[in-house]
Amino acid sequence: MSKTSKDADRFIFLLSAAIVTSAACAPAQSAASPLAEPAKMHVRVYDYAQVPPKVLAKAEGQAEMIFRQAGVEVTWENSAPPKDASKGKPVSSHPADSAGIDLRIVGHFESTTRVLRYDAMGFAVPPDTVTISLEWADKLASLGIAEEYQVLGAAMAHEIGHLFLGPNSHSALGIMRAGWNEDDLKRASQAGLMFTADQARRIRADVGRRQDPKRTASASTLAK
């Protein structure tokens, strides 16, 4: 056998060995493993305050952008509200592949309430309902730092955030601050008032858990 032939055989042997070694060291993957499902949330909006449609649409877009930054896809459904804001649940269910949230926008909160602070932007009732005060959003917007839709959208994201982070989840930074100052409003006007990285991670995890249990169980079974 010539030297050239020997060198060629040696090269083929070394190449084959490298391929086998790489395959052995690579992490095991299953062809049947499904791609990770995105975290999806479906928000049904009941507008008791009769927010102008353009303002409401832009506020929803603002909140959607905030959640997208946190890794959550949001779809909106604007529904005619029941006559009594304290009663009534939707007849139709939320989409099975999304975590369902009911969001109510009211004109103002009664001053006689013993539950809310006088300056409360809204409140969250676990596991799936939030209420926002349009009066509160308008007061902050009147300062001229952020527009009404920017304040309202940020308030939506803040209160929905409580449903996934818990009632005692105010933080020193970001959108989950308990009281917003001029700097926070400026960030809201510049699309910079967001969830922290840890909050975003926790929200994604809980949204995922709330998505259709049957689908989640099926995906877990296939992944094994």
Side-chain angles (χ1 to χ4, degrees), residues 7-210:
D7 289 343
D9 290 343
R10 183 169 181 271
F11 174 77
I12 292 173
F13 172 78
L14 291 175
L15 180 61
S16 299
I19 293 173
V20 171
T21 302
S22 298
C25 294
Q29 295 182 345
S30 170
S33 297
L35 295 175
E37 291 286 348
K40 295 181 180 180
M41 179 166 55
H42 178 264
V43 182
R44 184 179 285 116
V45 180
Y46 298 104
D47 179 16
Y48 291 90
Q50 297 183 340
V51 180
K54 289 184 178 180
V55 174
L56 181 57
K58 292 177 73 173
E60 291 172 351
Q62 183 85 352
E64 183 176 340
M65 177 269 297
I66 293 169
F67 278 107
R68 187 186 308 118
Q69 187 73 16
V72 178
E73 296 179 6
V74 182
T75 56
W76 303 87
E77 177 187 342
N78 296 318
S79 299
K83 293 181 179 180
D84 186 345
S86 66
K87 298 178 180 179
K89 277 289 186 179
V91 176
S92 60
S93 59
H94 290 277
D97 65 344
S98 301
I101 302 297
D102 292 334
L103 185 151
R104 297 184 173 100
I105 304 174
V106 298
H108 66 279
F109 296 136
E110 295 296 334
S111 59
T112 56
T113 180
R114 298 180 180 179
V115 178
L116 298 174
R117 286 168 48 96
Y118 74 94
D119 59 349
M121 71 172 78
F123 60 92
V125 179
D128 60 5
T129 303
V130 301
T131 304
I132 305 292
S133 165
L134 183 63
E135 179 183 54
W136 177 91
D138 286 343
K139 284 182 179 179
L140 288 188
S142 69
L143 298 175
I145 302 172
E147 295 188 43
E148 181 185 33
Y149 81 87
Q150 294 169 329
V151 178
L152 184 58
M156 290 176 175
H158 176 104
E159 294 303 335
I160 292 174
H162 277 307
L163 293 178
F164 299 107
L165 298 171
N168 299 316
S169 51
H170 286 136
S171 61
L173 299 172
I175 198 169
M176 294 307 294
R177 277 172 45 82
W180 293 349
N181 56 29
E182 292 184 3
D183 287 339
D184 295 314
L185 294 176
K186 186 175 181 179
R187 292 189 185 93
S189 72
Q190 299 173 344
L193 193 60
M194 301 289 177
F195 294 105
T196 66
D198 179 65
Q199 289 166 351
R201 176 188 58 78
R202 291 164 58 194
I203 289 172
R204 285 194 304 273
D206 198 18
V207 170
R209 282 192 291 268
R210 296 190 190 200

